[in-house]
Structures are given as structure tokens and as C-alpha cells.
Amino acid sequence: MITKYEITNEKGRDVVYFLVKVIKKNCFTWTLQKRYSDFVELNKLLCQKFKGLPELPGKTYKFTKTQEDHEKRRQGLEIYLQVSYSSSKLNALFH
């Protein structure tokens, strides 16, 4: 689940990180910080192995993004992860 996003300043520009909370059945949890580009790379790799995965939310080219823009992307990425994980072949990799 993507719990939230954080905006940090790196080399004079704002960078958005999405916080992905991973929960294993045996109660282990950890949180990863990932950028949208990390999801793009993940999607490329998964699409090489699996068919029928959902599309990522679109990339926005607005110079300034609002909190609403970031929240929409967070929600879209959350849906992407949930639907991808629920794919039977992909889900079998984790069990």
C-alpha cells in the first residue's frame, strides 16, 4: 500500500517520493521510498513476463504540480500495485 507521498528538495528541485508499505503475512512490515520513475522501470520488467497488467497512471508534464496532482498519482499507483499483485501469476511469485 502506498501510504503517502513526500516532496524533498534535491539539487534545487522538488522530487516526489511515494512511501510504499510492504506487509508480509508473517507480520513483517517495512517501508520503501520510490519515485514514479521506479514504478515505470518495475512496469517494464513485469510487462516482459506477464500479460494483462494494468497501466500506470499517466505522467504529467505540468511544471508545477498541486497536492491534488500528487494525491491522484498516489491513488493511481496504489491501484496499479493492488491490481498487479492480485494477478494470479504474479501473486504466485510471492507465496
Side-chain angles (χ1 to χ4, degrees):
M1 93 182 343
I2 300 177
T3 55
K4 64 180 182 174
Y5 64 88
E6 292 180 346
I7 302 171
T8 61
N9 190 290
E10 294 180 7
K11 298 180 182 176
R13 56 179 268 227
D14 287 342
V15 177
V16 179
Y17 285 95
F18 297 94
L19 301 180
V20 182
K21 186 175 183 179
V22 180
I23 304 168
K24 291 280 288 178
K25 285 186 177 181
N26 57 3
C27 300
F28 288 112
T29 64
W30 64 95
T31 301
L32 308 169
Q33 273 189 324
K34 295 295 176 183
R35 293 182 61 179
Y36 180 79
S37 59
D38 296 319
F39 289 96
V40 170
E41 289 302 313
L42 173 65
N43 188 58
K44 285 179 188 175
L45 292 170
L46 291 176
C47 285
Q48 291 174 2
K49 303 257 183 206
F50 304 100
K51 302 293 181 217
L53 294 176
E55 291 187 23
L56 285 170
K59 179 127 176 106
T60 57
Y61 295 98
K62 292 174 20 180
F63 183 70
T64 5
K65 295 178 185 81
T66 64
Q67 286 184 340
E68 183 179 333
D69 294 332
H70 296 307
E71 181 57 23
K72 282 182 184 178
R73 178 170 280 173
R74 185 201 67 74
Q75 290 172 1
L77 290 171
E78 173 70 20
I79 291 167
Y80 170 81
L81 288 178
Q82 293 295 333
V83 172
S84 295
Y85 180 74
S86 66
S87 164
S88 59
K89 289 181 182 176
L90 186 57
N91 189 300
L93 289 176
F94 296 99
H95 296 286

